[in-house]
Amino acid sequence: MALEDHPTPPSTPASTSGSAPADAPAPRRSDATRTAILAAARERFAADGYERATIRAIAKDARIDPSMVMRYYGSKEGLFAAVLDVDLRLPDPAGIDPHDVGRVLVSHFLDLWEENEVLTAMLRVGVTNQAGAERMQGIFKDQLSPVAQRACPDPEQAPTRAALCASQLLGLALARYVLRIEPAVALHREEIVAWLGPTVQRYLTAPNP
């Protein structure tokens, strides 16, 4: 059954037989519709690339009318921007012990990748599409650089050190969640943190070679 918005019905008096209170919020069908559109768009952009993906195909995957996609996002360009709008939710740099930053970052990214597939889908878009790659670059530059700037001994090196960290974190994600290379998939979380944490720590805090 297609996901479509419906007008909110007129309010009715609250029942006295144990029903929900009259002021309880109605289900947000529009939220479900947006979620379905974005999920379908991530898969379609990753599989077909930006140029070949169509609003009609995305709507079919989401099981809705194409007009609903246009209603919420206006255009394919607007939908693509929404797909690539990701908050890494990094911890406040001021609250991270510089001597523990590598372990904290690796643990945080494992949480992101394993709690849902949004970041993994975005990575798949990034490796198949130039605009997606540029968006990934901007996200990691804008959101990871403040952590690197606080942790590294020379703030001027923060962009380079953040890029090196991203190479490790995204490399792991590509091997474990996209390409699904078996030894990388088989690693337990504690093993990944133990292997990768010191590398990220060195990139951020070691003296410049």
Side-chain angles (χ1 to χ4, degrees):
M1 179 178 178
L3 292 171
E4 297 181 356
D5 283 4
H6 296 284
T8 303
S11 59
T12 56
S15 169
T16 58
S17 59
S19 61
D23 58 353
R28 293 294 302 275
R29 185 65 62 90
S30 62
D31 290 344
T33 303
R34 289 177 184 273
T35 298
I37 293 171
L38 289 176
R42 289 186 189 102
E43 292 300 317
R44 184 61 61 176
F45 284 133
D48 296 349
Y50 178 80
E51 295 299 332
R52 292 176 55 201
T54 65
I55 292 294
R56 184 173 297 278
I58 291 166
K60 181 179 179 180
D61 293 343
R63 302 180 65 190
I64 62 171
D65 190 272
S67 65
M68 297 297 292
V69 180
M70 301 302 289
R71 171 180 174 181
Y72 286 119
Y73 298 102
S75 64
K76 186 168 77 168
E77 182 179 280
L79 177 58
F80 191 66
V83 164
L84 300 181
D85 184 18
V86 173
D87 182 359
L88 299 178
R89 305 197 307 274
L90 293 175
D92 182 356
I96 304 176
D97 182 349
H99 298 92
D100 198 34
V101 65
R103 182 193 63 81
V104 169
L105 285 178
V106 174
S107 296
H108 179 78
F109 275 93
L110 285 173
D111 287 341
L112 286 181
W113 286 315
E114 294 181 0
E115 71 183 17
N116 60 61
E117 297 183 352
V118 172
L119 196 59
T120 302
M122 183 176 172
L123 178 59
R124 290 170 56 203
V125 173
V127 298
T128 60
N129 180 271
Q130 180 59 35
E134 291 173 357
R135 179 59 180 151
M136 286 286 285
Q137 293 164 12
I139 287 173
F140 273 79
K141 176 183 177 181
D142 294 342
Q143 299 185 39
L144 191 56
S145 289
V147 177
Q149 188 163 11
R150 182 173 179 85
C152 73
D154 183 353
E156 292 186 359
Q157 298 172 356
T160 298
R161 291 174 182 258
L164 290 169
C165 290
S167 72
Q168 295 296 311
L169 296 168
L170 292 175
L172 170 67
L174 188 64
R176 182 176 173 89
Y177 302 108
V178 177
L179 300 178
R180 299 194 63 80
I181 297 173
E182 195 280 329
V185 174
L187 284 170
H188 295 294
R189 178 192 178 92
E190 294 76 14
E191 293 177 296
I192 295 174
V193 175
W195 277 106
L196 204 59
T199 299
V200 173
Q201 182 73 35
R202 180 172 62 85
Y203 281 154
L204 289 174
T205 62
N208 191 38

